[in-house]
Amino acid sequence: MLQTRKKPLRRLFLLVGVTALALVATGGGGPGAAPVRAEATAPQTVDQSGYARHAMVAAANPLATQVGVDVLKAGGSAVDAAVAIQAVLGLVEPQSSGLGGGAFMVYYDAASRKVTAYDGREKAPMGATGRLFMGDDGKPLPFFDAVLGGISTGVPGAVAMLDMAHRDHGKLPWAGLLKPAEKLAEDGFIVSPRLAGMIALKQVPQPSAPDAKRYFTKADGTPYVAGDRLKNPAYARTLQRIAKFGASGLLTGPVAQDIVDRVHEGPRPSTLTLADLAAYRPIRQSALCRPYRIYVVCTPQAPSGGPGLQIALGVLNQTDIGTRGPDDAKAWFEFAQASRLAYADRDRYVGDPAQVQVPVEGLLDPAYLKKRAELIGEKAGPVTFGMPEGAPAFGPDATAEPGGTSHFVIVDAQGNVVSMTTTVESIFGSGRMVDGFFLNNQLTDFSFSPNDSDGAPAANAPAPGKRPRSSMAPAIVLTPDGRFVAAAGSPGGSSIQAYNLKVLVALLDWKMSPQDSVALPNLVARGDRYSADPFPQPIMQALAERAMPLSTARGENSGLQAIIVKDGGYEGGADPRREGRARGF
């Protein structure tokens, strides 16, 4: 059991929220930064944390949280609640996830004390090539040109993954779990401030795409705003089909045909076929579990962000960050340098292990991690990838990863746990809709350039049937004998690795509460850039003296949710940068 203590940096979450809200209004930054700004929201006035004796849910929208709690109260399992929560999130938070997207889940079975990883990552159609995102001029396409094209959409996997997990661990009937979302779609739900902000967003093109514009425009020609009631009968009908046929209701039949027809329309039509959709299968496998301090941290396998997060934890395990705290500049220096080393290795080596050699064992070998940690030093210096055992000759990465994603964590009354990250990739995915839901633009998670200038292949290059690399890394923490300790995760594009690392360090090393942990300022160190929320001036000055100046021109946004075991029950926290709640019974 974690004994939590509060830290003064918690007060900064209000400043973070105000800063992020201002950046939404003012813009700034390049195209790759726009989705990060877009995910910002105002500081919360409602208590987002929660404590419960029997079961707990933490999700990014209060409607989704409540539905999850209701399922658990009715005797449902953690996976049952996940099915219901995802169906609601896809309706009320369509900028982040949905029926047309993908997901990764880690599941803890309290009886066996085993952790299983479920991979619902999208796949490229069999007609895809390594030059999927290369223009006629031989250069990579502009990012948003690729996003808005039919070529950006992969075979969606979230529903199929949940279908598989429900068959393994569900207790309540599948169809009934979709009823709450179906009713919300038919009766209408109240547009939240965050969704309203996404609808009004001008920095990215998806909200102005024809399908999105049509959906979010009222009969009088004005856009939906916060407080309006939005109905989506087409979404309800799609849920009815999925309720009857499971994942086949989405991946075969009329809905599948509508997906294929829509992505075949210009510009940049896809090669996606009905056969691609019907052939999709999620993956069930053992989680990637490694020691950290006195704990064991479990994540999904590649191509998820699990290996990258495990590398970062493995490097930090060699430092004294655990004896420091969030008010110590040296702690944040160590955090940032471990992040840089982990990103360098992840960007170089991680791709779809079904198609490329991913040297996971070499990357996580304690001797290798010790050598990497020795590079941290007293000041920031150049960072490049290492040469772990089994490393293939891959080229540099050229992958853009905007953040249109959501995360939730669930503990049921039997002690089973779900930690799940779910996405449509960018804000409203590709901006294209069918049957009430947005289609993902997940294939833009591939490297746009299939080769380096010297011809070396990129590990994350597109290929037929390949899954793009992901940063999503839902985590579950156990004791060495397999007892549940904590669960956490976040959206945020490539920054997910840093967000998850922050919350795990705060929970496990600094013994902070879930709410204080998720509210800590974010620091994303990758390459030579240190993007951060505002920190106290003494910390910023001390980091600058270590050749690590923080760039706070825009707040890095997260959507962390976390639950820990505490005082005979569960304590949860939800990121103040979003609208989430942690609630239970």
Side-chain angles (χ1 to χ4, degrees), residues 302-447:
S304 81
L309 179 59
Q310 297 281 10
I311 295 168
L313 287 168
V315 172
L316 280 183
N317 218 5
Q318 312 295 321
T319 72
D320 65 354
I321 194 172
T323 66
R324 298 179 181 275
D327 297 315
D328 188 328
K330 179 69 179 296
W332 288 106
F333 177 78
E334 291 173 346
F335 174 91
Q337 300 314 309
S339 292
R340 294 174 73 207
L341 291 163
Y343 273 118
D345 279 349
R346 183 207 79 143
D347 292 353
R348 180 74 177 188
Y349 296 119
V350 177
D352 184 351
Q355 299 206 20
V356 298
Q357 179 185 343
V358 183
V360 173
E361 293 303 317
L363 289 167
L364 299 182
D365 180 83
Y368 175 77
L369 293 168
K370 187 174 186 296
K371 286 179 60 178
R372 295 292 277 167
E374 290 170 354
L375 299 174
I376 290 179
E378 292 299 317
K379 288 191 174 183
V383 166
T384 187
F385 57 89
M387 292 297 293
E389 185 73 23
F394 285 134
D397 186 62
T399 302
E401 294 180 86
T405 304
S406 196
H407 184 86
F408 54 84
V409 284
I410 306 162
V411 183
D412 66 27
Q414 285 69 47
N416 305 305
V417 183
V418 160
S419 185
M420 176 172 156
T421 312
T422 175
T423 187
V424 286
E425 171 55 1
S426 195
I427 307 301
F428 303 120
S430 67
R432 300 185 182 203
M433 292 186 79
V434 300
D435 300 319
F437 62 92
F438 284 95
L439 299 176
N440 70 81
N441 66 293
Q442 209 69 66
L443 300 190
T444 58
D445 261 1
F446 281 124
S447 174

Side-chain angles (χ1 to χ4, degrees), residues 149-422:
I151 56 172
S152 73
T153 297
V155 180
V159 174
M161 184 199 78
L162 286 168
D163 192 344
M164 172 185 279
H166 180 262
R167 293 174 190 274
D168 291 345
H169 305 291
K171 293 176 63 179
L172 301 180
W174 167 267
L177 301 172
L178 303 179
K179 283 294 184 183
E182 181 187 331
K183 181 173 174 56
L184 273 174
E186 289 175 338
D187 297 345
F189 65 95
I190 301 303
V191 173
S192 72
R194 185 164 173 270
L195 175 55
M198 301 300 119
I199 293 170
L201 198 65
K202 302 301 182 186
Q203 291 97 332
V204 294
Q206 293 97 312
S208 298
D211 294 355
K213 194 82 171 177
R214 189 179 308 113
Y215 177 48
F216 292 125
T217 300
K218 293 183 285 190
D220 64 3
T222 62
Y224 280 90
V225 297
D228 285 342
R229 183 175 294 275
L230 176 57
K231 296 183 179 182
N232 190 339
Y235 190 87
R237 290 192 296 271
T238 299
L239 287 180
Q240 289 166 4
R241 181 170 175 80
I242 295 171
K244 184 175 181 180
F245 299 108
S248 296
L250 180 77
L251 297 175
T252 65
V255 177
Q257 185 66 62
D258 290 344
I259 293 172
V260 169
D261 290 346
R262 186 68 185 93
V263 299
H264 279 214
E265 296 175 5
R268 297 186 172 86
S270 173
T271 60
L272 187 72
T273 67
L274 288 173
D276 290 322
L277 291 167
Y280 183 86
R281 298 293 183 273
I283 297 172
R284 177 202 303 108
Q285 59 192 331
S286 296
L288 180 63
C289 299
R290 288 295 188 275
Y292 182 72
R293 309 296 187 209
I294 61 172
Y295 308 102
V296 176
V297 178
C298 295
T299 64
Q301 304 274 359
S304 81
L309 179 59
Q310 297 281 10
I311 295 168
L313 287 168
V315 172
L316 280 183
N317 218 5
Q318 312 295 321
T319 72
D320 65 354
I321 194 172
T323 66
R324 298 179 181 275
D327 297 315
D328 188 328
K330 179 69 179 296
W332 288 106
F333 177 78
E334 291 173 346
F335 174 91
Q337 300 314 309
S339 292
R340 294 174 73 207
L341 291 163
Y343 273 118
D345 279 349
R346 183 207 79 143
D347 292 353
R348 180 74 177 188
Y349 296 119
V350 177
D352 184 351
Q355 299 206 20
V356 298
Q357 179 185 343
V358 183
V360 173
E361 293 303 317
L363 289 167
L364 299 182
D365 180 83
Y368 175 77
L369 293 168
K370 187 174 186 296
K371 286 179 60 178
R372 295 292 277 167
E374 290 170 354
L375 299 174
I376 290 179
E378 292 299 317
K379 288 191 174 183
V383 166
T384 187
F385 57 89
M387 292 297 293
E389 185 73 23
F394 285 134
D397 186 62
T399 302
E401 294 180 86
T405 304
S406 196
H407 184 86
F408 54 84
V409 284
I410 306 162
V411 183
D412 66 27
Q414 285 69 47
N416 305 305
V417 183
V418 160
S419 185
M420 176 172 156
T421 312
T422 175

Side-chain angles (χ1 to χ4, degrees), residues 70-95:
D70 291 344
V71 168
L72 297 180
K73 283 183 176 179
S77 69
V79 169
D80 290 334
V83 174
I85 288 169
Q86 176 64 90
V88 171
L89 286 175
L91 176 68
V92 304
E93 198 192 39
Q95 70 272 18

